[in-house]
Amino acid sequence: MEESMRKTFFVDVLLPLPVASLFTYRVPVDLEGQMDFGKRVIVPFGRSKLYAALVVRVHTETPKTTAKYVMDVVDARPVISEKQYALWQWMANYYMCTLGEVMACALPSALKLASETKIKLRPDFNGDVSVLNSYELQIVEALVHHEAMTVDEVAKLVQVQKIISIIKSLVDKKVIMTDEEIRNPYVPKKESFVRLADDYAAEEPFMALLDALGASARTAPQSDALLAFMMQAREGDHYNFRAVIPKSQLMSVEAVSPARWQTLIKKGYLVVEEKVVSRLSDIASHDLPANILLSEAQLRAFDSIHDQMAGHPVTLLHGVTGSGKTEIYIKLIDEVLKRGQQVLYLLPEIALTSQIVNRLRKYFGEKVGVYHSRFNEYERVEIWSRVLEQDLATDSSKYQLILGARSALLLPYQNLGLIIVDEEHDASYKQQDPAPRYHARDSAIMLGHIHQAHVLLGTATPSLESYYNVEQGKYGLVNLMERFADSRLPDIWTVNMSEAHKQRKVHGVFSDFLIEKMEEALAKKEQIILFQNRRGYAVRMICHTCEEMPTCKYCDVTLTYHKATNLLKCHYCGYAIEVPRVCPTCHSTDISMKGFGTEKIEESLAELFPEARVARMDLDTTRSKNAYQRIITDFEQHKTDILVGTQMVTKGLDFDRVSVVGILNADALLSFPDFRAFERAFQLLSQVSGRAGRKGLDGKVIIQTYQPKHPALQYVETNDFQAMYRSQIQERREFHFPPVVRVIKLSLKHTDDQVVTAAAAHLAGMLRAAFPQRVLGPEYPLVARIQNYFIQDIWIKFPKDNLLAQYKQQLQEVLQDFRQEKAYKQVRCVINVDA
């Protein structure tokens, strides 16, 4: 009777898959007490797959269909927080993706467990290999020496891509069997430590041991080694007989051989223990935020921020480049940390974190955690755990201040008090692929709302969206229009490259005027930054006989020449070919390279200034984890005279000896076919100009262009953000573009051009019926084919009112009907909200 009255428990779980719903599983009786929100459980999914899913809800509501059983519980405590899950739900709804896609984006890979198929010989296999081909025989011979192998291991062994068909053949021949086994890739880092055995861990027994060993010539070296151990354990004038010393440290002691340490361990005088250690480096602070002296302008801004925060959840700090915004951030961070709360400091680029983290650790030491995609998976799990297990009252080792790029937004914060979004205008805050295609700035504002935390947006060139919200009264505004330490804004010159070429005042990619200013700077031991927003050596190769240009096999773009590797590369998919000696089409030898990138600039500088030390910062030179740090540190320490880079060099970097900034091809920014091109050109040019003339140095900015009368350049020259904003907001109102309206972009993709064209036309018709006068397109984007997929874009404009959720629901219904059409089932539709 008691058994029949027992409640049956179920859990709704979230899987890291692009599926729209949660899934319900039955909880075995022996696991009932272990089910909690945020824990990972192992569940079967599909025919033979196993996944680690997140428990979202525990309940007793019997589902309509038969529920499979939960197989196991992975965690003793939750790995996500409820407030974090609330943000995930908002992101899924707002950016029109699935919760599973948000989970897959947010969780480090080491926390996303999935089954990995393993194969092994069947116990009843009779050993007859006469029916096997050579590949199958190779696999069987390998399995004789291995209990089991993964599919990946087998693929590497036989070096065949379509390995599944071979494995299936062996299964059908009853030679091997497969099973699904969960593997947990996260293994805590362990290190060996050495200590004195308990019997000798005090002065009296230790001295007795020394005497005993020293009495014999045979064991005297062991006595010397123990003395060397105690020297490592010395703390000031005292010896710590309970000291635990890293084994690696002992092995580096020159006076004692590794074999002698092993003898002491073998005899039981020393004991080796393995301990879990951090993969992260903690740095102690050596200054106090109270020691920062703010200027009068900074003090006014600091007080004004407090006033604005009292009346607005979001405040925009509009401070010119070099005005000292970071010092204000540090003062605000200090206030929040003293209240026992957490702070999130977002930056648009990993390149920025390496410089600013050192400034923050100077004041906050080991309270500062850094999180971005260049950390390996084990480090990311460790940071995740430190943020999740926040208990400031009892454990000071947990991170209170997290500094990071876009992905840092998705950590499991417990008690956020302040979110700082530095360089809030930057386009890098918007994720393009994969889903969720979220904007970190806007998501940070929602995260602040969930935690009831203040959000501070900081920039010298506000986005039109943020400034529009200021004008609408949604955000507070604080202006800081004076540079720190009475530094002047740099002088800006525009060089008309058409005229310079006519007058033969151009040397390679540099105008004579820019060369002159660089020579002056180098003579004064000052530094130079050169900006060109294209990597590689040359933009394209062209045949002057037939005018053909090598293009990517999979994308509709020309291949870029990289001289260092002597390859023509596609910057969209990575396809590369060797540089042909003759034209592939007409076999003419009259071929040449056109355009220039950072690689060519670096080479030209070596010819012009052979004594100058030149460094390049672009995607090619910063692929390794610490490359950013090395390049920036060398420039900070004046080991580099000239830094050449793509837009990485424009974003908030602070160097005290830069007197000249050269923008080598402004036209590439001004002529981009995008409604935000004017705004972004102004922002980028203003930002890179702001790297010059800091710390009392006279700055000079030289912009090379074929369009010297372009309005964006004139606004940059006069540093007139207000005029730029007024002109652009009027244009956006006239043509109905953000921030006046909301925009959702639909990108249809298919490997057949005709199919995607027909599908886009059909969907556009359905959308026009649902949303009259609001649909643009379909149209090919600038690059119409990427990775063999043809693309057509459709834009839908919605008014800024309270009906957005209703519009999105209506859009989802239209897309659902479209997906039901047989002819277009294979067409992929990508939804990009606020594109």
Side-chain angles (χ1 to χ4, degrees), residues 454-527:
H454 290 295
V455 180
L456 181 63
L457 311 178
T459 179
T461 53
S463 62
L464 263 65
E465 282 83 357
S466 293
Y467 211 81
Y468 184 77
N469 282 327
V470 167
E471 287 198 331
Q472 299 297 305
K474 293 180 180 179
Y475 297 175
L477 174 66
V478 176
N479 288 307
L480 182 57
M481 295 293 111
E482 296 176 25
R483 272 195 156 190
F484 187 72
D486 298 322
S487 296
R488 291 190 310 112
L489 285 167
D491 297 321
I492 299 176
W493 287 281
T494 302
V495 177
N496 185 335
M497 292 301 284
S498 293
E499 291 298 319
H501 276 290
K502 287 176 186 176
Q503 297 169 14
R504 297 188 177 180
K505 292 184 176 180
V506 177
H507 189 98
V509 300
F510 306 108
S511 63
D512 287 356
F513 184 75
L514 176 56
I515 292 172
E516 178 189 328
K517 296 302 175 188
M518 288 195 289
E519 286 173 342
E520 291 174 5
L522 292 172
K524 296 177 185 176
K525 304 295 183 187
E526 294 167 353
Q527 292 173 295

Side-chain angles (χ1 to χ4, degrees), residues 76-199:
R77 52 170 55 179
V79 296
I80 66 166
S81 68
E82 295 199 17
K83 289 180 178 178
Q84 182 185 25
Y85 184 66
L87 178 68
W88 290 8
Q89 289 177 304
W90 176 84
M91 289 174 69
N93 290 329
Y94 186 83
Y95 292 105
M96 300 182 72
C97 61
T98 66
L99 256 176
E101 287 172 317
V102 181
M103 173 187 171
C105 173
L107 282 183
S109 295
L111 292 179
K112 289 181 289 190
L113 309 182
S115 58
E116 183 181 62
T117 303
K118 289 192 175 183
I119 62 170
K120 49 189 173 185
L121 289 174
R122 291 180 66 93
D124 57 351
F125 174 52
N126 60 14
D128 180 12
V129 295
S130 60
V131 294
L132 305 183
N133 63 34
S134 59
Y135 290 127
E136 293 169 346
L137 186 60
Q138 269 187 280
I139 294 172
V140 170
E141 286 174 349
L143 287 173
V144 168
H145 302 289
H146 297 84
E147 182 182 347
M149 294 179 72
T150 66
V151 170
D152 283 345
E153 288 169 346
V154 172
K156 287 175 185 174
L157 174 73
V158 300
Q159 296 184 334
V160 174
Q161 284 187 330
K162 294 183 178 180
I163 192 68
I164 298 298
S165 60
I166 301 174
I167 290 172
K168 185 177 183 302
S169 171
L170 285 169
V171 171
D172 293 341
K173 292 173 182 175
K174 299 189 183 307
V175 176
I176 65 171
M177 59 189 291
T178 67
D179 67 347
E180 296 293 327
E181 297 180 11
I182 288 291
R183 68 183 183 97
N184 186 341
Y186 176 63
V187 181
K189 183 180 179 182
K190 292 183 178 180
E191 193 172 323
S192 295
F193 290 83
V194 181
R195 62 174 176 83
L196 284 172
D198 292 338
D199 291 345

